Amino acid sequence: MATIPPKIKVQLSGNERLQKLKEAFHGKYGQMPLFYARAPGRVNLIGEHIDYCGYAVLPMAIEQNILAAVSVSDSQTIQLTNTDPKYKDFTVSVDGITIDRENPQWYYYFLCGVRGIQEHLSLSSLAGMCCVVDGTVPASSGLSSSSALVCCAGLVTMEANQKSLSKVTLAETCAKCEQQHPIPG
């Protein structure tokens, strides 16, 4: 088993969802994405919600996931768009990332993953990014859509800033940052 999340070439032809994500990215930003990241939803077979308290659980990844198409920019901003029009676009300065815990929004989960990786790796500055996010994990379904979004953002942040962590460290970092920056929802 690979210890670092694998980087693989993705064949867009024949993958309708990735093709639509690429087209949405191009339509929004006028350029092609540099890379894609994917994080699966999960179901806890044993121990629903007790992992927050440090107890053991038995999670299993599921087919539903969060996908992100990403380009890196010199803009010093993180621009986020969701393919689902009910979720509004969001732009923030890489130096001004704040998470409003009292105002749950989809992009705060993404920014939680960004902040978690930034803090774990002690990154003084972050690369600017343009991202289009697409999800098939139903929100509020018990399938960890928020965790998948946080983990996908962690992967995106590592790749955009040319850093890497082991899979275990990435998972632990994302879980920790989601607990430290909880967003009611």
Side-chain angles (χ1 to χ4, degrees):
M1 176 194 286
T3 58
I4 295 178
K7 295 178 187 179
I8 57 173
K9 278 209 173 271
V10 176
Q11 191 66 263
L12 292 178
S13 60
N15 188 323
E16 187 176 326
R17 184 170 169 222
L18 271 176
Q19 191 64 40
K20 284 182 178 179
L21 184 61
K22 175 184 161 189
E23 291 167 7
F25 188 94
H26 185 264
K28 178 68 178 178
Y29 298 115
Q31 60 182 315
M32 293 300 171
L34 180 62
F35 64 91
Y36 300 88
R38 175 190 163 288
R42 72 169 191 272
V43 62
N44 284 329
L45 299 176
I46 299 172
E48 192 65 28
H49 296 294
I50 63 171
D51 52 332
Y52 310 139
C53 302
Y55 293 102
V57 295
L58 181 58
M60 180 180 81
I62 58 173
E63 186 176 329
Q64 291 81 5
N65 59 49
I66 301 290
L67 281 175
V70 185
S71 69
V72 179
S73 71
D74 295 327
S75 68
Q76 295 297 299
T77 62
I78 297 173
Q79 298 177 60
L80 301 172
T81 298
N82 197 306
T83 58
D84 187 333
K86 76 177 177 185
Y87 299 113
K88 65 180 185 172
D89 294 357
F90 187 74
T91 300
V92 64
S93 166
V94 295
D95 298 324
I97 297 173
T98 58
I99 297 167
D100 183 354
R101 296 180 188 148
E102 302 306 315
N103 180 22
Q105 299 291 330
W106 76 274
Y107 46 81
Y108 288 136
Y109 290 97
F110 192 96
L111 295 176
C112 181
V114 172
R115 284 285 298 273
I117 295 302
Q118 181 182 26
E119 290 169 5
H120 182 82
L121 294 174
S122 301
L123 299 173
S124 58
S125 64
L126 291 168
M129 298 183 278
C130 297
C131 307
V132 175
V133 176
D134 181 69
T136 58
V137 185
S140 302
S141 64
L143 299 176
S144 301
S145 59
S146 59
S147 293
L149 186 53
V150 170
C151 288
C152 191
L155 282 168
V156 164
T157 304
M158 284 188 335
E159 183 64 21
N161 290 278
Q162 301 177 354
K163 304 292 181 186
S164 64
L165 295 171
S166 71
K167 289 179 184 181
V168 171
T169 303
L170 173 63
E172 289 171 346
T173 300
C174 289
K176 180 180 173 186
C177 73
E178 190 174 5
Q179 291 167 17
Q180 287 179 337
H181 304 288
I183 304 161

